Amino acid sequence: MSKSLIISLIIYSIVWVIIILKSVRNGKISVRYSLIWFVMALAILFVGVFPTFMELLAKTFGFTTISNLVIGIILTLLMFITLVLTMILTNQKTQIKNLTQEISMLKKDVKNEK
Amino acid sequence: MKILIIIPAYNEEENILNTYNSIIDYNKKHKTNYDVIVINDGSKDKTEEILEKNNINHIKLIQNLGIGGAVQTGYKYAYNNDYDIAIQFDGDGQHDVNYIKDIIKPIEDGKANMVIGSRFITEDASEFKSTALRRVGINLISFFIKLKTGKKIYDTTSGFRAADKKVIDQFINYYPFEYPEPISTVNVIIHNLKVSEVPVEMKPRVAGVSSISKFKSVYYMINVILSIILMKGSRK
């Protein structure tokens, strides 16, 4: 793995950590959901810090270049995050539906009592 | 027995009053006591105005939920008000009030928990049997329901059905968002409740447009079949 790629990855992951930390402090991301993003940033950092391990990993799984492996890892993590987001979305859709139904029924009751 | 008719309505200004009046007239003529609840699913036309002006018992959903969420609101209303039987009835004039006595009879006799008003049991029951393409789709869904539950349901997409207390209980806890009829039917069978079908006649819709367009029908089929196959549990 080239020196410049290593440096790029380390800077890249630090920038990510700063963005996530700022978002959490501003209340834009809850601590709970920030964890997965920290894992993501740490994974990128790990790749930059342990290039020899990555070379071994790339060889084992049949990647011709390390950069391909890096992209593969990031892509997998992204897919995982999207999957979790879809689960949260589905859950919230049900919650919003239930709220809509309850409020609508309550509004009818309130109107009838007037 | 306390009987409730649930009418989901989305932009049904042209049909809703006629549908409502047909039930009221039927009640007067046959001395029945069918209560009505219209679920106005965030209509953008004059549906709400008509419901208010004619003093029709209704719930106005504060935002559009789609057919599944709207109908489920009706079942929740039935549950909260302790109804024995809840009947789903389209607001667009496709369903005929004269068949209500037929679809509630198996429940009254204790022979079924849920009854589907079916267009396809007998050959001559209904002049309107939907288009050829839609029948192919309905048969395909029927095949997968049989595969999953071992029970043959002929009219899988019929929105004319009656549910007893046990089924109402089930529907308030789980009711699919989209294309709810076939999926909820499978859910009822899987929970060892008895589903039966009685022949009914349906009319082509009087006005307005159907909720399923041609372009969406493939998406519809994939959705329904996948939901049925992936549903947890199987018949015991």
Side-chain angles (χ1 to χ4, degrees), chain A residues 90 92-109 111-112, chain B residues 37 48 52 57-63 65 68-70 72-73 76-77 80 175 177:
Chain A
T90 306
Q92 288 190 339
K93 206 181 161 193
T94 305
Q95 288 174 333
I96 291 169
K97 179 208 71 184
N98 287 340
L99 281 173
T100 304
Q101 291 174 332
E102 289 302 323
I103 292 170
S104 304
M105 285 191 285
L106 269 175
K107 272 184 105 171
K108 174 186 163 59
D109 290 345
K111 210 169 112 199
N112 285 355
Chain B
I37 182 85
E48 182 65 20
E52 282 287 334
N57 188 34
H58 72 282
I59 294 172
K60 181 191 176 215
L61 293 180
I62 55 171
Q63 59 192 17
L65 285 182
Q72 193 189 34
T73 310
K76 285 184 175 176
Y77 180 85
N80 291 341
Y175 205 75
F177 280 94

Side-chain angles (χ1 to χ4, degrees), chain B residues 3 7 34-35 40 57 62 86 95 99 114 162 169 177 194 205 214 217 229 232 235:
Chain B
I3 296 164
I7 306 176
Y34 303 152
D35 288 342
N40 178 9
N57 188 34
I62 55 171
H95 298 159
Y99 285 101
M114 189 177 113
D169 216 52
F177 280 94
K194 205 161 178 304
R205 65 173 24 248
K214 261 182 192 162
S217 52
I229 294 170
K232 261 192 191 168
R235 104 199 106 114

